[in-house]
Amino acid sequence: MIALSILNRLIMAAATLFGVALIVFVLLRVVPGDPIAMMISPGATPADIAALRAHYGLDASLPVQFGIWLKAVVAGDFGTSISLKREVLGLLGDRLPATLELAVAALVLAVLLGGAVAVAGTLARRTPLEPILDGLNGLFLAVPDFVWALALVLVFGVFFPIFPLSGRIDPGTETHFATPFYLIESLVTVRLAIFADIAAHMVMPVLALGLPLAAIIARVLKATLSEAMVQDYILLARLKGMSNLRLVLQEALRNAVGPTIALTGVQFTFLIGGTVIVERIFAYPGIGNMAIDAVINRDLPLIQGLVLVFGALFIVINLLVDLLVAAFNPRLAHG
């Protein structure tokens, strides 16, 4: 049954990616504007324009264009970026790790901070501290990530210039990376000065992305913990003399974490989408920042590659979340 379930998920994932690719392909070609017009020089002849259009396969009908592009994608060829003149797959390979490091760091921050606030709120039930925590959490929940980004730029980049405002690493730093995962590689190779520089560049984007998600996690986890704290097994453990902190962490948390994991996974996909604006604000060299440039330049191959990458990320994250939820819920694991 598990193998059949995995097979069904893989089939659904392939169908979803195909649908996403088809919709984006059609929409990009029916919206106003001509990407070739942005590439030609003022003195180009009609023959030059026709040759360039044929080079990028834009002179055929839509079904033929889609068939050619889909066949190439299956073979691992995402085409050549119109604006950057590089292979799309290579561009994605260079930029995707930066976005993944940023998103995972924001997720870790959100889980730790949101979990701590939820536990503190549960322990502070029916005390004057509870409405204060709920009010602060509501404030953090109401402010979107791009507003946090602008506020952090103003506070820590202008008034108190503590952290770097843009980029991923100091341009003056002379170093060589074997992989595009700069943060992980610098830590593994014990280049702590470079690791600190990269981490400093990530602080403000991570905070901007992680704070709203932390507020969501705190609210949901606190609600599920409150429900768990009135169950019979908690009462039995309390009669055995367990402290409130031990009741929450050892007994209630493991039963309340399932719904929180499911919601966190869904919100994590939105967090990855939110990197588009946040990366632009901080000039962070990830796929989000590159996506804005691709849209401005009407770079069709690059936009299509980016959409497929985002779609694949969402599918993989949802699959991982389902596995985690099943692991924390024995009834689902054996169902």
Side-chain angles (χ1 to χ4, degrees), residues 43-133:
T45 65
D48 295 332
I49 298 173
L52 192 59
R53 193 178 300 278
H55 175 73
Y56 285 100
L58 299 175
D59 58 339
S61 63
L62 283 182
V64 173
Q65 290 184 44
F66 181 72
I68 295 173
W69 175 74
L70 187 61
K71 182 179 179 181
V73 168
V74 173
D77 181 9
F78 283 68
T80 303
S81 168
I82 294 175
S83 60
L84 300 176
K85 305 297 188 297
R86 284 186 56 192
E87 293 293 324
V88 171
L89 197 58
L91 288 170
L92 295 175
D94 291 341
R95 294 291 192 95
L96 180 60
T99 296
L100 289 179
E101 286 188 341
L102 187 64
V104 171
L107 177 64
V108 172
L109 171 69
V111 170
L112 294 177
L113 182 59
V117 172
V119 171
T122 303
L123 294 174
R125 287 186 66 197
R126 300 185 180 88
T127 68
L129 182 60
E130 183 179 17
I132 297 176
L133 290 174

Side-chain angles (χ1 to χ4, degrees), residues 288-308:
N289 196 0
M290 187 169 62
I292 295 179
D293 290 330
V295 172
I296 293 174
N297 296 320
R298 285 220 64 196
D299 194 335
L300 302 186
L302 185 54
I303 294 173
Q304 291 164 175
L306 286 166
V307 171
L308 283 181

Side-chain angles (χ1 to χ4, degrees), residues 118 122 217-231 233 252-253 255-260:
T122 303
I217 292 174
R219 172 167 291 188
V220 174
L221 184 56
K222 185 194 172 200
T224 52
L225 282 173
S226 298
E227 293 178 2
M229 290 297 289
V230 297
Q231 300 299 317
Y233 67 91
L253 186 60
N255 293 293
V257 76
T260 307

Side-chain angles (χ1 to χ4, degrees), residues 204-216:
M204 288 196 289
V206 166
L207 285 172
L209 291 169
L211 290 177
L213 180 57
I216 295 173

Side-chain angles (χ1 to χ4, degrees), residues 31-52:
V31 296
D34 184 3
I36 300 300
M38 304 180 65
M39 302 172 59
I40 59 176
S41 59
T45 65
D48 295 332
I49 298 173
L52 192 59

Side-chain angles (χ1 to χ4, degrees), residues 74 84-85 91 140 166 170 182 200 203 245 276 292 326 335:
V74 173
L84 300 176
K85 305 297 188 297
L91 288 170
F140 278 65
S166 62
D170 188 348
Y182 293 177
V203 167
L245 180 61
V276 173
I292 295 179

